[in-house]
Amino acid sequence: MKAGRAGAAADAVERARQILGRARSIVVLTGAGISAESGVPTFRGPEGLWKDHRPEELATPEAFARDPRLVWEWYGWRQDVVRRCAPNAAHRALARRALAAGAAPLTLVTQNVDGLHAAAARQVGRELGEEPATALPLELHGSLFRVRCSGCGRRREHDGPVDASSRQSLPRCEGCGELLRPDVVWFGEPLPRRELEESFAAASAADACLVVGTSGVVYPAAGVVTAAAASGAEVVEVNPRETALSATAGVSVRAGAAEAVPRLFG
Ligand code: NAD
Ligand code: ZN
């Protein structure tokens, strides 16, 4: 008898559970898709547009040099969207697994800038009475809730609203007086070195790699998965659609993250 779609999906979940269950070290790479069910828009859908601008036009150092007010207005809108969102069952399941006593180590690497993995780590940590530290992600592309000075490079947390009504009202560095910018990695910019090194070290040590909600076309982030595979890790993908990493994955669970990820570790 031929298995139907539901049967095939259940079979993929079971194989993924086995791979993750027997792993001695796990690396996880997440992308915008893991936050889709929290209400955070992905870039590559129609909802990625803002006032007719595509993210590729605004998330660049050139755009900030040309029109910092417009770029800050867009980031203010994105911060507002994300502040209204909460971690979903997928973020929480990963945090719970990362904090589980006695479980194999899990390194969480994210391309997301929405802070929802960290929020889940704090939530679950509180529930378990554990420090959230081991469930905090390596944020390869920075965070919407930090700023960096465009002059001297100093960084700090920043969760308040930004007045983007004029160039004069934009936030400036307390040290050197230059404009502050969001502490996110823009197109054409290098990734933060510590996060990159720790991610690739975790990838080469892992014997299982879980990749959730990423199209797998943005490098070097997607290289975490290919590096893990090259060092012998079994790769599991969770994504409703086929991606550039599907060919590398031994198992693809074709479902949304909030439904599928909790079943992988339950
Ligand atoms: P992407 O937009 O290129 O791809 C999103 C992927 O998620 C797609 O493959 C899609 O099929 C999948 N997806 C959609 N709904 C899903 C669901 N419910 N469950 C699981 N998967 C689902 O995202 P990307 O690969 O992360 O690359 C985009 C870049 O944009 C990243 O560099 C990131 O920094 C940035 N970005 C971040 C956020 C965020 O922080 N939440 C949002 C948009 C973009
Ligand atoms: Zn400065």
Side-chain angles (χ1 to χ4, degrees), residues 46-103:
E47 73 283 19
L49 284 180
W50 173 76
K51 292 191 176 179
D52 287 342
H53 295 286
R54 295 191 350 228
E56 294 86 336
E57 294 165 30
L58 296 173
T60 70
E62 293 77 21
F64 189 74
R66 192 166 54 238
D67 194 346
R69 197 208 60 74
L70 180 71
V71 172
W72 261 121
E73 191 187 349
W74 180 52
Y75 276 95
W77 171 78
R78 291 183 62 193
Q79 286 172 341
D80 285 346
V81 169
V82 168
R83 264 194 217 101
R84 289 195 292 270
C85 298
N88 65 46
H91 300 102
R92 289 176 48 84
L94 288 171
R96 208 173 303 116
R97 174 60 186 68
L99 293 174

Side-chain angles (χ1 to χ4, degrees), residues 5-252:
R5 261 181 85 83
D11 181 49
V13 168
E14 194 41 46
R15 283 187 292 142
R17 282 170 59 91
Q18 283 171 13
I19 290 170
L20 296 167
R22 65 175 172 253
R24 284 171 312 239
S25 175
I26 301 174
V27 66
V28 182
L29 177 70
T30 69
I34 197 172
S35 297
E37 288 156 277
S38 291
V40 183
T42 60
F43 272 2
R44 278 164 242 277
E47 73 283 19
L49 284 180
W50 173 76
K51 292 191 176 179
D52 287 342
H53 295 286
R54 295 191 350 228
E56 294 86 336
E57 294 165 30
L58 296 173
T60 70
E62 293 77 21
F64 189 74
R66 192 166 54 238
D67 194 346
R69 197 208 60 74
L70 180 71
V71 172
W72 261 121
E73 191 187 349
W74 180 52
Y75 276 95
W77 171 78
R78 291 183 62 193
Q79 286 172 341
D80 285 346
V81 169
V82 168
R83 264 194 217 101
R84 289 195 292 270
C85 298
N88 65 46
H91 300 102
R92 289 176 48 84
L94 288 171
R96 208 173 303 116
R97 174 60 186 68
L99 293 174
L106 179 150
T107 303
L108 181 54
V109 182
T110 190
Q111 300 166 83
N112 294 345
V113 294
D114 56 32
L116 291 178
H117 282 302
R122 289 190 298 269
Q123 258 180 21
V124 173
R126 258 194 318 273
E127 289 162 16
L128 299 176
E130 300 272 353
E131 283 300 313
T134 55
L136 293 176
L138 294 165
E139 295 175 320
L140 286 182
H141 293 167
S143 167
L144 288 178
F145 300 105
R146 280 196 313 267
V147 287
R148 165 157 43 114
C149 175
S150 59
C152 69
R154 80 161 65 172
R155 299 181 146 81
R156 63 170 169 78
E157 303 294 311
H158 179 91
D159 196 7
V162 163
D163 179 355
S165 55
S166 74
R167 193 184 170 113
Q168 284 65 38
S169 67
L170 296 178
R172 287 191 173 267
C173 177
E174 297 83 352
C176 75
E178 286 294 328
L179 283 175
L180 294 176
R181 54 165 279 183
D183 188 19
V184 298
V185 176
W186 284 332
F187 292 104
E189 292 187 319
L191 274 62
R193 188 203 288 236
R194 178 189 67 85
E195 283 82 350
L196 201 56
E197 284 175 0
E198 289 185 18
S199 299
F200 277 85
S204 52
D207 42 28
C209 172
L210 172 63
V211 47
V212 184
T214 176
S215 52
V217 296
V218 179
Y219 278 80
V224 168
V225 178
T226 47
S231 342
E234 295 184 88
V235 178
V236 172
E237 174 181 62
V238 174
N239 197 308
R241 293 203 186 81
E242 192 171 334
T243 73
L245 293 169
S246 296
T248 309
V251 177
S252 290

